[in-house]
């Protein structure tokens, strides 16, 4: 019988997780089903528990439910606890287990292009996506990690939560940087993050956690327009999925061919994360 997996989030219609997990399953001869579940604000916890009651083996969680998934779980990995958010759930010994594979997925994809060690790093945004990758960045020993956020109160809250970082308002950032990461949700809304020009003066490598299939995000276009090398977050999406697959099946799939397939064969859709 096929094992049952799914991703829950809202919106969910354009999620690529079913395609990615089916590609991985084919590689290693595992038979599975992988559904998309539209999470509802009022019933998310019930939806998760129903999924596992009806033979669910593993559940990915995406925006905006990662923090609620973390709170629900009875057993969380160390990296999941540090992020305060979960994207991978499964049952073990009758307990709901949770992990967060976003950070490792981000670092694995980033390392295709640049290492973080001794780099001056600027991260834009202080929301859930930023929280998920801040420890994985710090563990890779940057020379400095500056967080810049549009809203001062959120930058201050982030500073309290992560004292190893330096949090400032977006217009106060002082460059140059080696690496600039866009962890805002601006691309999802089709908006643009305006940065002081000095931030980009050293032609930093630019990474946008959001992606658009067959089309560059506004941040990637902006960075390339300034002569910087820039990539979107599709590689991170595939890498975090691979780590979830490993947790559930005990086998690490190949990611390059799946990433290539997604980059070349999909129709353009709206910006996603
Ligand atoms: P996510 O889980 O996607 O990170 P979030 O927790 O709502 O979503 O956080 C969104 C982040 O993107 C915030 O840091 C937000 O900045 P504010 O705190 O000022 O709201 C940032 N953001 C969204 N749109 C932005 C824009 N157009 N310019 C700059 N920052 C933006």
């Amino acid at each position: 019988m096929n094992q049952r997996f799914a991703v829950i989030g809202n919106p969910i219609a354009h999620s690529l997780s079913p395609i990615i997990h089916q590609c991985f399953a084919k590689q290693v001869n595992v038979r599975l089903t992988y559904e998309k579940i539209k999470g509802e604000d009022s019933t998310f916890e019930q939806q998760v528990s129903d999924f596992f009651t009806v033979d669910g083996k593993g559940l990915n969680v995406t925006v905006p439910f990662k923090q609620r998934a973390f709170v629900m779980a009875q057993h969380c990995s160390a990296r999941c606890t540090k992020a305060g958010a979960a994207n991978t759930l499964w049952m073990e010994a009758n307990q709901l287990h949770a992990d967060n594979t976003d950070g490792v997925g981000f670092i694995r994809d980033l390392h295709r292009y640049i290492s973080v060690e001794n780099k001056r790093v600027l991260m834009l945004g202080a929301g859930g996506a930023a929280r998920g990758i801040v420890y994985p960045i710090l563990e890779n020993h940057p020379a400095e990690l500056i967080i810049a956020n549009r809203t001062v109160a959120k930058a201050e809250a982030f500073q309290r939560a992560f004292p190893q970082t330096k949090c400032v308002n977006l217009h106060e950032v002082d460059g140059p940087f080696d690496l600039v990461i866009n962890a805002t949700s601006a691309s999802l809304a089709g908006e643009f993050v305006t940065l002081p020009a000095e931030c980009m003066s050293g032609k930093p490598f630019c990474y946008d956690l959001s992606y658009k299939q067959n089309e560059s995000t506004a941040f990637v276009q902006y960075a390339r327009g300034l002569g910087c090398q820039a990539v979107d977050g599709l590689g991170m999406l595939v890498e975090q999925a691979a780590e979830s697959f490993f947790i559930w099946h005990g086998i690490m799939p190949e990611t390059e061919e799946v990433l290539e397939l997604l980059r070349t064969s999909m129709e353009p859709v709206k910006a996603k994360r």
Side-chain angles (χ1 to χ4, degrees):
M1 203 176 84
N2 286 352
Q3 299 182 74
R4 183 174 177 226
F5 296 85
V7 58
I8 185 166
N10 193 352
I12 201 67
H14 295 295
S15 171
L16 294 174
S17 293
I19 298 171
I20 296 171
H21 278 269
Q22 289 293 2
C23 288
F24 291 160
K26 207 167 153 199
Q27 278 179 18
V28 301
N29 275 324
V30 168
R31 285 165 59 96
L32 56 82
T33 62
Y34 193 109
E35 306 147 45
K36 292 182 227 183
I37 301 174
K38 187 174 174 207
E40 299 298 339
D41 203 38
S42 54
T43 54
F44 169 75
E45 285 76 10
Q46 190 60 49
Q47 288 177 293
V48 170
S49 100
D50 289 349
F51 174 79
F52 286 107
T53 306
V54 189
D55 269 350
K57 293 282 179 261
L59 188 62
N60 281 131
V61 181
T62 188
V63 175
F65 297 114
K66 291 180 189 183
Q67 275 145 308
R68 282 168 70 172
F70 166 72
V71 172
M72 264 190 92
Q74 289 140 310
H75 188 279
C76 296
S77 68
R79 61 191 178 187
C80 182
T81 305
K82 278 180 169 178
N87 76 337
T88 307
L89 300 175
W90 69 101
M91 292 297 289
E92 205 175 302
N94 274 329
Q95 292 200 316
L96 184 63
H97 281 55
D99 202 342
N100 190 318
T101 66
D102 287 334
V104 71
F106 167 70
I107 292 291
R108 273 188 204 144
D109 189 47
L110 183 72
H111 280 175
R112 290 191 165 105
Y113 309 98
I114 185 174
S115 115
V116 169
E117 193 169 351
N118 289 327
K119 302 291 191 313
R120 199 154 183 259
V121 182
L122 171 64
M123 180 158 71
L124 309 172
R131 284 173 181 260
I133 63 168
V134 67
Y135 273 113
I137 294 173
L138 290 170
E139 281 160 8
N140 280 273
H141 313 294
E144 192 171 20
L145 174 58
I146 312 273
I147 315 291
N149 199 56
R150 180 179 60 180
T151 306
V152 177
K154 213 158 173 180
E156 288 172 353
F158 203 92
Q159 181 73 72
R160 285 192 293 276
F162 303 101
Q164 309 92 317
T165 64
K166 183 178 167 197
C167 300
V168 297
N169 193 236
L170 212 44
H171 60 76
E172 292 168 353
V173 195
D174 195 11
F177 294 95
D178 304 302
L179 170 62
V180 177
I181 300 158
N182 179 24
T184 73
S185 55
S187 301
L188 301 173
E191 292 169 4
F192 193 75
V193 185
T194 317
L195 279 179
E198 314 86 79
C199 295
M200 307 298 268
S201 63
K203 300 226 183 309
F205 182 87
C206 293
Y207 194 107
D208 194 346
L209 297 193
S210 301
Y211 66 88
K212 278 182 162 184
Q213 291 160 35
N214 291 350
E215 203 184 331
S216 301
T217 63
F219 180 71
V220 166
Q221 284 178 34
Y222 160 73
R224 286 183 184 157
L226 293 172
C228 303
Q229 194 188 349
V231 295
D232 67 18
L234 191 62
M236 172 182 172
L237 180 80
V238 174
E239 293 297 340
Q240 63 77 30
E243 186 73 7
S244 293
F245 191 92
F246 176 71
I247 290 167
W248 293 330
H249 303 280
I251 311 169
M252 194 56 149
E254 286 291 327
T255 52
E256 288 284 349
E257 64 178 56
V258 178
L259 185 53
E260 191 61 29
L261 176 84
L262 292 177
R263 289 235 186 259
T264 53
S265 69
M266 308 295 292
E267 291 299 312
V269 294
K270 276 179 67 192
K272 299 288 291 172
R273 183 186 292 145

